[in-house]
């Protein structure tokens, strides 16, 4: 059993989240991020018990509404919900009325009429969760909206880093890959800069968003510069399905210039962590030897995802009638 | 500002002597300490459990496995408040099997019995102990559930308007039990 990284007797700076929803990291205070991570630390232990279930959300209903394919995130949310004893309902796009032409708002209002406590939403449009949060009384958890945010991914990444490095402040984190299309990048930039990390972003110029310095990160096109003395290297998937047009000559060339290889890894700190939100393209953004190597914490990320999602569900499902902050 | 009065009902010496006495009672009642384990209820029950483990080692030369239990996720009032924050969840650490052991459950104050009920439910999720015995530093009465302590440091008659504060070196910098009389608002 790993030791908790925070002092259990220390009173937390805040004891609840201000909103009924988790739409993005941009809306969270650093104290709220710390509360989620501390709560996740308690939740992680539940997954190690012989009976992996606590009664905290007994009688609460959680709807998982997924308009985009997802295995990892949907499974992770579902396990988290079941470990907290919530009743869960999965709605996948192919089986819903959406194929008959219903709009997102109509789907949401129909679900809302059945009075769920929380809706976990994944959608290909940026801002879909904000739309739902305005319509619904239920708490909304963003499980990825378009190219906007994927807050629980950033929280589980932060949890995984904190578990190894004890804190986020002062760490050099290099994020390398398809920066343009990545909601994981956006959420991670918000989170890591709020918590005081030194964030570098790296990718081909065609996949680099404009004006990244505005977010307090250092952009570079040199992977060697990004990796130099890094504490954490986070690789992002090349999202071919979101690319219309040619962003780079070939996957092979991308790997040659930006792929994470054992040779490039030697430039980083000796105790560097290699992270990837999955699903991985082996031989494109990451070499297989690195993905399966001793520095990789990719499977820890998956395991920690359940604990972090349990924490978010617990913190949002409590105090049912939140005062609406306009 | 409502006025409140407070009286120290146990000082540091009294607490130390009481815990030593309870440790001897544990050995006597269980005819040894072979299959015992201590589990403290967070936060102060954990510190009391650790102190009992130290005393038991001095008496018997045996190390008693000691764990910490957070009962927040088992509370019966968890989802009942309409507004206000959720209680903060802390980590439960029981690094041993509770199967077929006698578990000594340790809390600072026994009041309505609802915390103990939650702790019993939480413990049962870890296995099937041979028995569970309840140790409290202070029993202040006013039970709302059929629960009774096996070892009591001090029986303290109170009114529901009063509050009992257990302060320990580990969390509060000093050892004392204080009875506070809250003035009517």
């Amino acid at each position: 059993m790993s030791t908790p990284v925070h002092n259990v007797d220390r009173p937390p700076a805040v004891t609840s989240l201000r909103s009924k929803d988790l739409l993005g990291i941009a809306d969270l205070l650093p104290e709220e991020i710390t509360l989620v991570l501390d709560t996740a630390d308690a939740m992680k232990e539940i997954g190690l018990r012989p009976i992996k279930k606590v009664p905290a959300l007994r009688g609460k209903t959680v709807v998982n509404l997924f308009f985009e394919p997802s295995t990892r995130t949907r499974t992770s949310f579902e396990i988290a919900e079941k470990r907290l004893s919530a009743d869960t309902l999965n709605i996948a796009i192919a089986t819903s009325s959406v194929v008959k032409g219903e709009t997102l708002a109509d789907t949401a209002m129909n679900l809302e009429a059945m009075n769920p406590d929380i809706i976990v939403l994944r959608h290909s449009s940026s801002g879909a969760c904000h739309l739902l949060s305005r319509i619904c009384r239920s708490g909304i958890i963003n499980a990825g909206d378009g190219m906007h945010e994927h807050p629980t991914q950033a929280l589980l990444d932060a949890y995984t880093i904190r578990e190894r490095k004890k804190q986020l402040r002062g760490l050099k984190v290099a994020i390398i890959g398809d920066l343009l299309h990545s909601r994981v990048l956006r959420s991670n930039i918000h989170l890591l800069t709020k918590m005081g990390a030194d964030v570098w972003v790296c990718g081909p110029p065609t996949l680099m968003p404009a004006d990244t310095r505005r977010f307090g990160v250092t952009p570079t096109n040199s992977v060697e510069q990004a990796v130099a003395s890094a504490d954490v290297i986070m690789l992002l998937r090349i999202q071919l399905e979101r690319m219309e047009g040619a962003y780079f000559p070939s996957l092979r060339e991308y790997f040659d210039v930006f792929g994470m290889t054992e040779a490039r890894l030697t430039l980083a700190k000796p105790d560097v962590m290699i992270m990837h939100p999955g699903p991985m393209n082996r031989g494109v953004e990451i070499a297989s030897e690195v993905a399966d190597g001793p520095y990789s914490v990719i499977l820890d990320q998956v395991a920690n995802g359940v604990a972090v999602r349990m924490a978010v569900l617990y913190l949002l499902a409590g105090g049912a009638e939140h005062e609406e902050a306009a | 500002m409502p006025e409140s009065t407070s009286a120290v009902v146990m000082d540091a010496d009294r607490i130390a002597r009481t815990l030593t006495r309870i440790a001897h009672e544990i050995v006597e009642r269980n005819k040894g300490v072979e299959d015992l384990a201590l589990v403290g209820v967070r936060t102060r029950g954990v510190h009391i459990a650790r102190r009992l483990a130290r005393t038991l080692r001095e008496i018997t030369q045996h190390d008693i496995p000691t764990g910490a239990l957070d009962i927040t996720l088992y509370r019966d009032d968890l989802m009942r408040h309409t507004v206000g924050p959720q209680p903060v969840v802390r980590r439960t650490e029981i690094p041993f099997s509770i199967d077929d052991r006698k578990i000594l459950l340790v809390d600072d104050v026994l009041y309505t019995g609802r915390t103990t009920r939650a702790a019993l439910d939480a413990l049962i999720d870890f296995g099937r102990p041979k028995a569970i015995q309840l140790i409290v530093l202070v029993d202040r009465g006013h039970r709302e559930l059929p629960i009774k302590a096996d070892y009591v440091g001090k029986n303290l008659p109170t009114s529901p308007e009063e509050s009992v504060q257990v302060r320990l070196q580990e969390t509060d910098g000093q050892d004392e039990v204080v009875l506070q009389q809250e003035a009517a608002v």
Side-chain angles (χ1 to χ4, degrees):
Chain A
M1 199 182 290
S2 61
T3 47
V5 292
H6 67 287
N7 178 357
V8 292
D9 289 338
R10 185 203 62 200
V14 295
T15 59
S16 61
L17 303 178
R18 292 167 304 153
S19 168
K20 73 175 176 69
D21 308 310
L22 177 64
L23 304 179
I25 301 294
D27 314 320
L28 293 181
L29 302 170
E31 294 81 15
E32 292 179 303
I33 293 166
T34 301
L35 175 67
V36 174
L37 301 185
D38 286 355
T39 306
D41 211 31
M43 296 297 181
K44 188 167 184 184
E45 177 269 329
I46 294 166
L48 307 172
R49 297 181 188 179
I51 297 176
K52 301 173 185 60
K53 203 176 184 73
V54 293
L57 297 196
R58 221 162 33 134
K60 300 275 175 182
T61 308
V62 182
V63 176
N64 299 316
L65 184 56
F66 278 67
F67 288 91
E68 262 191 344
S70 157
T71 313
R72 204 179 332 262
T73 305
R74 196 187 56 72
T75 312
S76 179
F77 266 109
E78 197 176 343
I79 292 177
E81 290 150 11
K82 289 186 153 74
R83 287 196 177 156
L84 291 170
S85 303
D87 296 315
T88 67
L89 185 66
N90 294 310
I91 300 177
I93 172 88
T95 56
S96 79
S97 300
V98 175
V99 292
K100 301 173 192 162
E102 194 175 62
T103 66
L104 173 63
D106 283 334
T107 305
M109 280 189 287
N110 277 281
L111 284 174
E112 180 80 356
M114 294 180 247
N115 201 18
D117 297 282
I118 288 190
I119 298 173
V120 178
L121 178 69
R122 160 155 308 182
H123 200 280
S124 56
S125 297
S126 309
C129 294
H130 287 78
L131 173 69
L132 232 63
S133 85
R134 285 195 296 274
I135 301 173
C136 297
R137 272 174 298 118
S138 323
I140 308 295
I141 298 177
N142 183 354
D145 63 332
M147 296 187 276
H148 175 232
E149 281 227 44
H150 190 355
T152 57
Q153 178 69 43
L155 287 164
L156 76 87
D157 289 341
Y159 181 87
T160 307
I161 298 171
R162 202 181 71 158
E163 198 175 40
R164 296 277 174 121
K165 307 281 185 192
K166 305 301 171 204
Q167 61 170 358
L168 300 167
R169 181 162 301 282
L171 296 180
K172 177 175 176 183
V173 183
I175 309 180
I176 303 164
D178 180 352
L179 308 170
L180 193 60
H181 299 98
S182 177
R183 55 197 175 203
V184 174
L185 171 76
R186 250 161 281 270
S187 289
N188 261 308
I189 285 180
H190 285 306
L191 193 152
L192 292 166
T193 53
K194 276 176 201 240
M195 302 308 279
D198 174 22
V199 183
W200 289 57
V201 295
C202 172
T206 48
L207 290 174
M208 181 77 76
D211 205 13
T212 42
R213 283 185 193 275
R214 187 160 58 92
F215 297 102
V217 303
T218 313
T220 173
N221 300 126
S222 152
V223 72
E224 284 74 20
Q225 234 177 49
V227 168
S229 304
D231 296 283
V232 179
I233 298 172
M234 204 179 275
L235 301 161
L236 299 175
R237 189 169 62 94
I238 295 301
Q239 305 193 44
L240 294 169
E241 76 278 12
R242 291 189 210 276
M243 294 183 189
E244 295 157 4
Y247 288 90
F248 46 81
S250 71
L251 292 177
R252 176 67 183 272
E253 181 163 337
Y254 179 87
F255 181 72
D256 286 344
V257 180
F258 294 100
M260 194 46 54
T261 57
E262 284 183 324
R264 289 191 171 125
L265 216 52
T266 58
L267 302 170
K269 291 239 177 83
D271 60 347
V272 66
M273 298 168 65
I274 299 291
M275 307 178 77
H276 194 301
M280 271 184 283
N281 295 316
R282 287 171 185 263
V284 179
E285 65 264 2
I286 186 166
S288 266
E289 309 87 79
V290 174
D292 305 325
Y295 304 107
S296 167
V297 295
I298 294 170
L299 293 176
D300 294 1
Q301 290 173 269
V302 179
N304 290 337
V306 175
V308 165
R309 291 178 176 117
M310 286 171 77
V312 170
L313 286 160
Y314 167 75
L315 291 167
L316 292 182
E321 308 295 324
H322 276 269
E323 295 297 321
E324 270 295 47
Chain B
M1 186 78 188
E3 298 217 352
S4 68
T5 57
S6 63
V8 175
V9 290
M10 292 178 91
D11 60 14
D13 279 349
R14 177 84 190 267
I15 291 172
R17 282 198 303 276
T18 301
L19 293 180
T20 306
R21 190 248 302 157
I22 290 177
H24 281 97
E25 280 180 30
I26 291 168
V27 179
E28 185 187 7
R29 177 163 168 172
N30 296 287
K31 304 180 181 68
V33 293
E34 267 71 51
D35 51 358
L36 296 185
L38 288 153
V39 173
V41 177
R42 287 213 189 273
T43 301
R44 288 178 183 75
V46 177
H47 299 302
I48 297 173
R50 292 203 182 116
R51 291 190 194 187
L52 285 169
R54 277 200 297 276
T55 310
L56 284 166
R57 189 173 56 216
E58 285 163 20
I59 301 171
T60 67
Q61 274 73 56
H62 276 87
D63 282 320
I64 317 289
T66 304
L69 189 64
D70 185 285
I71 57 107
T72 310
L73 298 170
Y74 291 82
R75 285 169 59 138
D76 58 7
D77 58 353
L78 190 54
M79 295 297 162
R80 295 181 76 90
H81 12 220
T82 48
V83 287
Q86 288 295 83
V88 176
V89 192
R90 307 294 200 184
R91 198 182 179 100
T92 289
E93 289 166 83
I94 303 183
F96 49 84
S97 165
I98 70 165
D99 285 338
D100 301 314
R101 276 189 209 270
K102 288 186 200 163
I103 302 299
L104 302 165
L105 182 65
V106 186
D107 205 355
D108 54 351
V109 179
L110 179 57
Y111 182 28
T112 61
R114 288 176 191 269
T115 301
T116 308
R117 196 281 310 162
L120 292 173
D121 276 358
L123 266 181
I124 299 298
D125 280 357
F126 282 85
R128 187 177 188 279
K130 188 190 283 177
I132 300 175
Q133 299 170 6
L134 178 60
I135 301 172
V136 297
L137 185 59
V138 176
D139 181 350
R140 61 167 295 191
H142 305 286
R143 215 75 77 240
E144 294 169 2
L145 296 172
I147 281 168
K148 185 172 178 297
D150 299 276
Y151 309 87
V152 178
K154 180 179 175 62
N155 280 297
L156 187 64
T158 60
S159 78
E161 288 73 42
E162 291 168 317
S163 78
V164 176
Q165 307 290 331
V166 171
R167 296 182 185 137
L168 296 174
Q169 197 76 48
E170 295 89 332
T171 47
D172 314 284
Q174 60 173 334
D175 281 0
E176 63 179 10
V177 179
V178 175
L179 181 65
Q180 267 174 340
Q181 177 76 56
E182 308 287 351
V185 182

